[in-house]
């Protein structure tokens, strides 16, 4: 009696990497998952996601204030990033189901390119505090999709539902380093000349968004190969 288990003993779902299907993941199995190249690549991509997201959560109000906004308006304008991000997660979920047929890596890659476009718009179209805030809304809309998918659908698909929590923990653990690093790095960049610091920060975040997108490319190829192997009855590598 009771609720139906989320993971059945007859689990036959697709896995992109070889992983234990035991009810409890042993520590040795956890370590093998932690050093798998695909998991490390996901963790590195998630590091970039968290670096970018927390950089804006931490610094965007201050950057807008440096553009001439009072503190209250800067705080209001900066909320657009997170509000647009929530919309992005909803749209990402719809697109994942309807258009991308569950291919989370392909959707993340598309949204990665959208994130790059958002940062370019900040640099070249952000001529006023309002347009800067609107451009960061585009960044938030595109960035929150990979934020959601890398630690949820991606974690489950690459190693199965039994290992999904373990993978999510590893990916989130690696990603959580990003917020720590961005505080120190951006803090150093904006010391002294604020305008130059903002310009250098924009270049840094643009570069980080490019790195994030590049890391998603091998994930997409590996996922597609695993799907083909699964369709042909071959075991994951």
């Amino acid at each position: 009696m009771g609720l139906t288990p989320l993971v059945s003993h007859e689990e036959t779902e697709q896995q992109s990497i070889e992983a234990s299907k035991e009810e409890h993941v042993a520590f040795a199995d956890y370590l093998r998952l932690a050093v798998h190249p695909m998991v490390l690549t996901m963790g590195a991509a998630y590091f970039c996601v968290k670096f970018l997201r927390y950089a804006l959560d931490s610094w965007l109000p201050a950057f807008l204030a440096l553009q001439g906004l009072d503190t209250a308006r800067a705080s209001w304008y900066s909320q657009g990033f997170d509000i647009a991000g929530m919309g992005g997660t909803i749209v990402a979920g719809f697109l994942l189901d309807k258009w991308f047929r569950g291919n989370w890596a392909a959707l993340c890659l598309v949204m990665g390119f959208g994130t790059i476009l958002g940062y370019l718009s900040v640099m070249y179209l952000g001529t006023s505090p309002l347009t800067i805030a609107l451009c960061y809304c585009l960044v938030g809309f595109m960035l929150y999709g990979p934020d959601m998918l890398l630690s949820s659908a991606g974690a489950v698909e690459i190693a199965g539902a039994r290992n999904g929590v373990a993978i999510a923990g590893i990916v989130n653990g690696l990603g959580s380093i990003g917020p720590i690093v961005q505080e120190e790095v951006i803090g150093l960049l904006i010391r002294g000349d604020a305008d130059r610091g903002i310009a250098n920060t924009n270049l840094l975040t643009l570069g980080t968004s490019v790195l994030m997108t590049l890391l998603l490319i091998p994930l997409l190829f590996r996922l597609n190969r695993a799907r083909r192997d699964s369709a042909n009855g071959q075991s994951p590598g």
Side-chain angles (χ1 to χ4, degrees), residues 125-138:
L125 301 178
T127 56
S128 69
L130 178 59
T131 57
I132 291 173
L134 290 174
C135 290
Y136 276 123
C137 286
L138 175 60

Side-chain angles (χ1 to χ4, degrees), residues 160-198:
R162 291 190 182 280
N163 300 281
V165 174
I167 296 295
I170 296 167
V171 171
N172 271 284
L174 293 172
S176 65
I177 302 172
I180 300 171
V181 174
Q182 65 82 20
E183 288 287 350
E184 299 299 326
V185 173
I186 296 177
L188 289 173
L189 288 177
I190 64 172
R191 289 180 182 175
D193 189 334
D195 290 335
R196 176 174 291 183
I198 292 175

Side-chain angles (χ1 to χ4, degrees), residues 10 13 26 38 47 49 98 112 116 131 148 154 163 178 186 219 236:
E10 292 78 24
E13 64 193 349
M38 194 170 184
F47 170 92
V49 170
K98 298 298 183 181
I116 295 173
T131 57
M148 171 188 66
N163 300 281
I186 296 177
L219 286 176

Side-chain angles (χ1 to χ4, degrees), residues 6-58:
L6 294 176
V7 181
S8 69
H9 293 287
E10 292 78 24
E11 179 183 3
T12 58
E13 64 193 349
Q14 171 187 313
Q15 292 181 197
S16 301
I17 63 176
E18 185 175 358
S20 171
K21 290 189 177 182
E22 297 298 325
E23 185 173 354
H24 299 288
V25 180
F27 184 69
D29 294 325
Y30 191 89
L31 288 179
R32 281 193 291 271
L33 290 174
V35 298
H36 192 284
M38 194 170 184
V39 177
L40 291 175
T41 303
M42 287 180 66
Y46 204 52
F47 170 92
C48 295
V49 170
K50 289 297 188 183
F51 184 101
L52 296 172
R53 179 178 170 183
Y54 281 84
L56 289 173
D57 281 335
S58 297

Side-chain angles (χ1 to χ4, degrees), residues 55-233:
L56 289 173
D57 281 335
S58 297
W59 296 100
L60 184 54
F63 284 0
L64 291 174
L66 289 172
Q67 300 296 322
L69 284 180
D70 60 78
T71 303
R73 291 178 66 195
S75 298
W76 278 107
Y77 279 26
S78 64
Q79 290 181 30
F81 166 74
D82 290 308
I83 294 172
M86 289 188 290
T89 60
I90 296 171
V91 172
F94 175 82
L95 294 178
L96 182 66
D97 182 48
K98 298 298 183 181
W99 286 7
F100 286 83
R101 299 181 181 275
N103 193 328
W104 58 270
L107 177 56
C108 284
L109 182 61
V110 170
M111 299 190 85
F113 283 115
T115 303
I116 295 173
L117 180 63
Y119 278 109
L120 288 173
S121 70
V122 170
M123 296 173 65
Y124 293 102
L125 301 178
T127 56
S128 69
L130 178 59
T131 57
I132 291 173
L134 290 174
C135 290
Y136 276 123
C137 286
L138 175 60
V139 173
F141 184 88
M142 293 295 179
L143 185 62
Y144 269 59
D147 191 345
M148 171 188 66
L149 294 170
L150 280 168
S151 61
S152 56
V156 171
E157 180 167 2
I158 69 167
R162 291 190 182 280
N163 300 281
V165 174
I167 296 295
I170 296 167
V171 171
N172 271 284
L174 293 172
S176 65
I177 302 172
I180 300 171
V181 174
Q182 65 82 20
E183 288 287 350
E184 299 299 326
V185 173
I186 296 177
L188 289 173
L189 288 177
I190 64 172
R191 289 180 182 175
D193 189 334
D195 290 335
R196 176 174 291 183
I198 292 175
N200 289 336
T201 299
N202 286 335
L203 290 174
L204 172 64
T205 50
L206 173 63
T208 304
S209 68
V210 171
L211 176 60
M212 175 192 74
T213 305
L214 291 175
L215 288 168
L216 292 169
I217 294 174
L219 286 176
L220 175 60
F221 279 107
R222 181 62 184 267
L223 177 63
N224 288 342
R225 188 179 72 179
R227 289 186 170 196
R228 289 194 300 269
D229 291 345
S230 178
N232 295 330

